[in-house]
Amino acid sequence: MNLVETIVETRAQIRAWQKEGLSVGLVPTMGYLHEGHYSLMERAVRENDRVVVSIFVNPTQFGPNEDLESYPRDLKHDAALCQQAGVSLIFHPTPEEMYPQGFCSYVDMDVLTKELCGLSRPVHFRGVCTVVSKLFHIVQPDRAYFGEKDAQQLAVIRRMVQDLNMDITIVGCPIVREADNLAKSSRNTYLNSAERQAALVLSRAVFAGQKLAQQGETDAKKLVQTMTDIIQAEPLAKIDYVKVVDQMTMQQIDRLDKPFLAAMAVFIGKTRLIDNFMMDAVGGAAE
Ligand code: PAF
């Protein structure tokens, strides 16, 4: 496995693989890899001849008062996990490599990015779309892998690929949870032990909402109310949003008669966590 920091070196390797007719999978990450990332890497390794993992804490997707500086980093641990998963190359650029002096071109998206996380993180998706499209141009993957925990991000990237005619298959992979059902996240490391316990309220709310929908409830408001009540009963939790939206457009819906996403962002102390579930429509669970 190679670890490279420059775009030139990455491109040289990609060109060599392309000449051999090898397919390439990309797993974009911000590092501090956990089992959620591991599941993406494993799938990418299964489905492609070569796999590139990018490890880059992307400054443009963090707002001024967010956790860019404190975001956890551990390259040694990440490299070991990539090696174990069978990754061929880690692309680990510096911020200057990705955003050299004078950088001023961004990929901005309307509609989908103005809801859910986009409301409390106004610059977030512009940063995500910009860095992901840069990674796509650098690596030119056949397939790219993203977790369904960031369901809005996944929908935004699918839309970007469609709108900008990028010839890349986007693969969404299921949420990976801890034994007690907390969704895996690099940010879980910020939680102290009381907060770690309180954070279980997110998955409890997700499972309650899911159960209600599986039992045939078609009123989105009832789902939101059930999930909200559960979260509000936890003193350490403060809701950013709990919403039910169309899976493709991220616009709120009233009835669960089409593929939908039930999503939440909740502060546990100072840590903002997200969780969700998706279903095709009431009566049938989506993948
Ligand atoms: O999901 C993430 O870790 C990041 O948003 C991504 C896709 C790697 C872009 O920086």
Side-chain angles (χ1 to χ4, degrees), residues 28-30 37 56 58 61 124 128 131-132 146 150 153 157:
T29 82
M30 297 208 299
H37 299 109
F56 178 60
N58 173 37
Q61 69 188 73
H124 178 67
V128 170
V131 80
V132 170
F146 296 89
D150 296 294
Q153 170 172 281
I157 287 163

Side-chain angles (χ1 to χ4, degrees), residues 22 33 48 56 66 77 80 99 103 150 186 191 197 199 202 219 226 231 246 254 262 267 277:
L22 300 174
L33 305 180
N48 301 275
F56 178 60
E66 293 183 350
H77 167 264
Y99 299 109
F103 183 95
D150 296 294
S186 306
L191 303 168
Q197 196 56 32
L202 278 91
D219 185 349
T226 298
I231 299 165
D246 179 309
D254 294 329
F267 284 95
F277 72 94

